[in-house]
Amino acid sequence: IGVTMLVMFGTYGLAFWFGAQQCGKAGTTPGDILIAFFNILIGSFAIGHADPHFQSMAEGRGAAYSVYDTIARKSKIDHEKSDEGKKPFECKGHIEFREV
């Protein structure tokens, strides 16, 4: 955790140093530097908070793979050549998953 803090505060120091250099050379105001700094800071926090949601989406993709694999599987029952059993007149094809 110490290295993480070192990198984080070192980056803050570098950003303020570079901002001070830009104020002197490029004519940028200190307000512009602070606005840019806090925009980057808040944006990086938002990306950090979104990370658990990316993990959930990856887990969902993994679960969907097994569902699509089951759907694409060739059936062991040869329904086209068999005349045995009852056949429905109509099939709507609504699929519902319960307690998965």
Side-chain angles (χ1 to χ4, degrees), residues 4-61:
T4 304
M5 291 298 198
L6 174 70
V7 170
M8 185 175 70
F9 288 121
T11 307
Y12 291 163
L14 181 65
F16 279 115
W17 173 80
F18 184 72
Q21 297 297 320
Q22 291 297 339
C23 281
K25 294 179 183 174
T28 318
T29 65
D32 293 337
I33 301 297
L34 285 176
I35 288 171
F37 176 76
F38 283 114
N39 281 336
I40 293 170
L41 182 72
I42 291 170
S44 63
F45 283 154
I47 291 171
H49 288 305
D51 186 46
H53 303 292
F54 293 135
Q55 181 180 359
S56 297
M57 288 191 305
E59 289 174 2
R61 287 184 64 198

Side-chain angles (χ1 to χ4, degrees), residues 1 34 48 61 63 71 76-77 80 89-90 93:
I1 195 164
L34 285 176
R61 287 184 64 198
I71 291 171
K76 295 178 182 177
I77 302 171
E80 294 177 355
F89 292 110
E90 174 182 8

